[in-house]
Structure formats: C-alpha cells, structure tokens
Amino acid sequence: MSAAGTGREAPADTVARLRATFRTGRTRDLSWRTAQLTRLRALLTERGDELAEALHADLGKSRKEAYRTEIDFTVREIDHTLERLEGWLEPEPAPVPAVLAGATAHTVQDPLGVVLVIAPWNYPVQLLLAPVVGALAAGNAVVAKPSELAPATSAAVARLVPLYLDTDAVAVVEGAVPETTALLAERFDHVFYTGNGTVGRIVMTAAAKHLTPVTLELGGKSPVFVDRGTDLKTVAARLASGKFLNAGQTCVAPDYVLTDPETAPALADALAAAVEGLFGEDASTSPEYGRIVNERHFDRLVALLDSGRTVTGGTHDRDGKYIAPTVLADVAPDSPVMSEEIFGPVLPIVTVDGLDEAIGFINDRDKPLALYAFTQDPSVRRRLLSETSSGGVGLGLPLAHLTVSDLPFGGVGESGMGSYHGRYSLETFSHRKAVLDTPLG
C-alpha cells in the first residue's frame, strides 16, 4: 500500500506526486484508462462482499441493497463506459466558414489534470467510485476522499483501492474536516463534491481561490405530485419503495407529497399498507430496512416526527439508530418537517387544491434535485415539465432516472451544478478543446 493509502502522506505531497504522474502523459493513453476501469471493476466484483459488510456496519444496509444500489450500480457504470469510451474520445468535426476554405476544425476531449472527488456517507461506495469512473475515463489523476461518517466503508475503500489501481495516479485520503480542509487548500483541476449545500459553499469558496471548476451534487426537498384518479395502490408501492430505501437517506428520495384533500386520506392508507408489504408489521425486524447513520441525524429526524398526524410508523430507538418508516398526514406547509431536506424515513403529505397550487408550491421553494409525478394526464405532465425547474424528473417511478447511464444526473440552483453519469461524466472531467487546422500552402 502506498503512503497515500495509509494517510501518512501530506495532502500537498499527494497532489504533487499525482501531478508529476499526470505530466508524464501516462494517464492520457486509452489503454491506461481502460486498464484502470477494468481493475476498478475487478475490485468491486472480487471484494464486493467486503464492501457490503462495511456498508452494513455503517448504515445497516442489507447485502442485497448494498449490491443493488452501490456495488452493482457502479459496475454497470463501468461497463457502460468501457463499451463506449473509445467512440466518445473520437475527435468531433466542426464546420468552418467559407472565409476559411481549406481549413478543418474539430474538438478533442482533453484531460483536466489532478481532480478531487469528495463523497458523502449515504451511498459511500457508489457516490465515491462512480465519479472516479468518469475521472479515470477522462484520463485524469484522482484524489478520492471518502466520508468519515461511514468509517467502515472509508477504511475498506482506502485499503482496497491501492491493491487494484495505479497508486501513482490514484490516491485515497481518509479523514474528517481537518483533512478535507487541507485538501481543499491545494490546487486541483476540478473538484467534484456530493453532499449538502452548507459544505458545498465551503468547497466552492476554497476552489475559487484557485479558479478551480466545481461540480456540486447537492440535494433539497424533492416533491411528489399525485394526481387525482391515479391507481393509489401502485403509487403507494412505488413511493414507499423509493422513499424508504436506505432508510430515506437518499439525495433524490421523495421528500414530500402534494395531492388534493380528497385523494390524501386514501393515499395515506395505501402508503401504510405498502410499508407493511415491504418491511412487515415491524420494520425493525426486517433485514431489508436500514438504520440512521449516527445519533446526530437520529435526533434531528426524531424532532420532525410531531409535524403531522402519524399514519404509520413514528416509533424509534436511539440505541439502535432505528426510526420506523413513517408517513405523516395533515402536514402544514410551515411545519418543521417542511423547513429542511428530511433525508430520513419520514414522508409528509401536504394537501393542495390542484395542479396550479402544486406548481406554485414547488416554485415558491428552492429548485429540487428531482421532481416526481404520478398522473395519467398528458397535459399535467406537460405543465409540470414546462412550468417547474428541477435537476431531473421521474414520471411514474421515483429514483429510477439515476440508473439510466445515458441521462445526465445533477441539480440546478440550490440542488447543485454540473452533471455526470455515462458520457456526461467524461464531459465533466474533460476540457473540450477546439482545434482549427489551416494549411500553409
């Protein structure tokens, strides 16, 4: 293992060492890029159980959930990239004006240099390594900073990455705020941060000192509009599955539901039945239901439970960091649960008179990372798409848009800037360089 992998190397030395490697040109070769991606895939497939155990230790994730949402998710991203990378890197021709007759023009994807990826704790494998896939595919050297709030996963990644990847070009730096602050003081060629807006502002401020571009994958209160007349059993099953995955600790989880007063009671009952169908009468005994990451987040979430009438759930155990999947009805727009991103297993239902009021409600708040809608009315879909702004839209199914590698994933406004996944990751970690070739003769 390299010194970087053990945390003994100073951030300045790590960045300098990786920059020296980048300047040799080694990381630019397609063969190097594909070899690194292939080795990263091997890490995930050969040592997946070790990562799954770490995810269970940090978040109570089941092995099934760990593979589905983190390990296999990242493997699919690698496979998608490996299959298409050579084509993505082909120079793209551009037309030239008549005044430059005889000249040719094209663009090429240029690696940026040394990039920093800072990951959150809620999906500590996927949200660290999926951006790293893009950074390596683009031909960069990478410093990967896992979250200290998922310590078992951080340790596993720091141990395994140097066994598989080029340690002269890829370094894992563990630590908390002091280590992250020290890293951000260095000059990188791009900083990719996933987390909350408060830290996002700190990252952006630090990057501004070096004029370093940033990608910020943040979050926000992702709304769900449930139209009258929809199949509420299907709606509730899909909503509960998306909301309570990872105990609600998902940046694109449905945050709150907007529906009309006539639909709300039936939807609440359907959600209670859907939760029981997913996790049984007592979710604390379900192997498929996770736990809250730490006591601080547990206490924050418990304080939100009195924001409405409890339809189902509401029970909690601090020692076990367990909060039952909870649905709240009769929630006022100014209640505590509506004042911040929930990021936990609490789903409030807010009533609105109809689509006009729902659109106004959404637009009066920060732009969310995702907007979800359950409706069979094409005009409702069109109005939601054209009259609201969000990072992405899921019609009929929450969360699933993340799994489409050919769709960009990212936020807008308070929910972030920039995007990634598939080709969009390559674009994020590259500079599209313009080339004009004019003959001398």
Side-chain angles (χ1 to χ4, degrees):
M1 184 182 292
S2 70
T6 63
R8 289 195 299 266
E9 192 174 42
D13 294 335
T14 301
V15 175
R17 181 169 58 81
L18 268 57
R19 193 170 300 283
T21 301
F22 178 77
R23 285 175 174 165
T24 67
R26 181 159 94 203
T27 67
R28 290 176 174 269
D29 289 343
L30 178 61
S31 60
W32 183 90
R33 305 184 198 195
T34 57
Q36 294 306 298
L37 294 175
T38 303
R39 290 173 190 168
L40 183 56
R41 189 188 195 284
L43 185 161
L44 292 163
T45 55
E46 294 171 6
R47 312 302 277 270
D49 284 356
E50 295 172 52
L51 295 172
E53 289 170 10
L55 290 164
H56 185 268
D58 287 329
L59 291 151
K61 290 193 186 191
S62 69
R63 185 180 186 277
K64 178 181 175 183
E65 184 178 323
Y67 271 90
R68 179 163 61 95
T69 66
E70 304 229 37
I71 299 162
D72 289 347
F73 183 103
T74 310
V75 169
R76 286 196 304 274
E77 182 73 6
I78 293 171
D79 288 345
H80 180 88
T81 302
L82 281 170
E83 185 178 337
R84 296 162 176 80
L85 181 57
E86 187 171 6
W88 291 343
L89 293 174
E90 285 291 320
E92 293 191 14
V96 296
V99 70
L100 292 174
T104 59
H106 66 274
T107 61
V108 293
Q109 298 279 24
D110 222 14
L112 295 175
V114 181
V115 303
L116 171 63
V117 175
I118 305 174
W121 51 263
N122 59 325
Y123 291 86
V125 172
Q126 181 212 134
L127 295 178
L128 179 71
L129 297 183
V132 168
V133 169
L136 293 174
N140 298 289
V142 188
V143 175
K145 169 62 181 66
S147 173
E148 73 278 9
L149 298 181
T153 308
S154 177
V157 169
R159 175 171 55 82
L160 293 173
V161 164
L163 302 179
Y164 284 82
L165 299 185
D166 183 347
T167 56
D168 292 329
V170 183
V172 177
V173 175
E174 292 191 273
V177 173
E179 289 78 11
T180 305
T181 302
L183 276 174
L184 287 170
E186 299 302 316
R187 181 179 71 80
F188 288 92
D189 298 288
H190 195 94
V191 176
F192 189 107
Y193 169 77
T194 304
N196 62 63
T198 300
V199 178
R201 286 171 169 81
I202 295 170
V203 170
M204 198 168 181
T205 300
K209 295 176 183 176
H210 301 290
L211 292 180
T212 298
V214 298
T215 300
L216 299 180
E217 297 292 343
L218 308 178
K221 296 183 74 63
S222 295
V224 183
F225 177 70
V226 178
D227 205 1
R228 56 173 58 91
T230 54
D231 177 358
L232 294 183
K233 183 177 180 181
T234 299
V235 171
R238 295 181 183 183
L239 257 184
S241 180
K243 173 64 181 183
F244 300 115
L245 180 73
N246 198 27
Q249 299 166 118
T250 305
C251 58
V252 287
D255 192 274
Y256 63 94
V257 177
L258 297 174
T259 194
D260 62 89
E262 292 74 30
T263 304
L267 177 61
D269 291 342
L271 282 166
V275 168
E276 184 172 339
L278 280 172
F279 306 114
E281 291 185 8
D282 181 1
S284 69
T285 64
S286 170
E288 294 303 321
Y289 187 67
R291 296 298 184 264
I292 307 306
V293 67
N294 57 33
E295 287 81 3
R296 180 170 65 87
H297 282 283
F298 176 93
D299 294 340
R300 178 185 63 80
L301 289 164
V302 167
L304 304 178
L305 294 176
D306 294 330
S307 295
R309 175 175 59 85
T310 303
V311 175
T312 187
T315 58
H316 48 86
D317 169 31
R318 194 173 193 269
D319 289 340
K321 292 180 286 188
Y322 167 78
I323 298 177
T326 300
V327 178
L328 301 178
D330 307 327
V331 175
D334 60 353
S335 64
V337 78
M338 293 301 295
S339 67
E340 61 181 70
E341 182 181 6
I342 297 168
F343 220 70
V346 184
L347 182 63
I349 300 174
V350 179
T351 57
V352 290
D353 284 341
L355 181 62
D356 288 344
E357 188 176 335
I359 289 173
F361 192 98
I362 293 164
N363 289 339
D364 284 343
R365 287 154 177 79
D366 290 334
K367 295 177 180 180
L369 186 55
L371 181 148
Y372 302 116
F374 293 89
T375 179
Q376 293 178 308
D377 187 335
S379 66
V380 171
R381 296 179 178 214
R382 283 195 298 269
R383 288 196 60 195
L384 285 169
L385 286 172
S386 64
E387 297 178 32
T388 67
S389 178
S390 59
V393 175
L395 300 171
L397 185 63
L399 274 62
H401 60 292
L402 270 76
T403 66
V404 182
S405 291
D406 285 317
L407 283 178
F409 176 67
V412 59
E414 285 285 325
S415 58
M417 62 180 69
S419 63
Y420 73 120
H421 286 177
R423 181 163 190 162
Y424 300 97
S425 292
L426 182 74
E427 297 275 354
T428 288
F429 289 107
S430 302
H431 167 62
R432 185 173 284 280
K433 185 161 63 178
V435 181
L436 178 68
D437 185 353
T438 307
L440 295 175

